[in-house]
Amino acid sequence: IARFFEEAGTRQSDGYHRLALGLIESKAVVPPSPDAWLLQRGWTRYAAGQPPERVAFPREPGLVFDVETSVMADSGRLPVLAVAASPEAWYLWCCEAMCSAEAAEAT
């Protein structure tokens, strides 16, 4: 039984394992993080030397990723902010509620 679960786990995680190894083996260097972040709903891509660009999702297959969650009284635990980095760019994802709250505080 242990062998079955080990093999099943290996099959399920193989694609992610290969992406992680690719980042490690390439000795990829993350570009400098942006000086300023735009808090707008969805994904924004920050590539060195280029203006921030709204994208549907990150373009690169291998990313280092972090997400922040918040407990909303009416909705439960939800993601509100995510940051991802690749050798080519940084990404920021912001939920609509977070962006609306930031915009309201700025006015």
Side-chain angles (χ1 to χ4, degrees):
I1 289 178
R3 183 176 172 170
F4 168 80
F5 283 109
E6 183 176 338
E7 290 175 1
T10 299
R11 282 193 308 273
Q12 292 293 320
S13 64
D14 186 56
Y16 300 109
H17 186 243
R18 282 185 278 125
L19 288 171
L21 283 178
L23 286 172
I24 294 166
E25 290 171 354
S26 72
K27 298 186 191 303
V29 176
V30 174
S33 63
D35 292 329
W37 299 90
L38 298 176
L39 290 179
Q40 57 189 7
R41 185 173 59 87
W43 286 104
T44 303
R45 184 176 195 264
Y46 300 84
Q50 298 176 20
E53 173 188 9
R54 291 188 85 166
V55 293
F57 51 86
R59 295 178 182 158
E60 296 81 17
L63 301 164
V64 178
F65 188 87
D66 183 44
V67 65
E68 301 302 324
T69 60
S70 177
V71 177
M72 307 282 190
D74 59 340
S75 304
R77 194 173 180 93
L78 297 173
V80 292
L81 197 65
V83 177
S86 76
E88 289 80 34
W90 283 85
Y91 292 88
L92 174 70
W93 178 86
C94 187
C95 77
E96 186 171 359
M98 177 78 165
C99 296
S100 299
E102 289 292 324
E105 287 180 15
T107 57

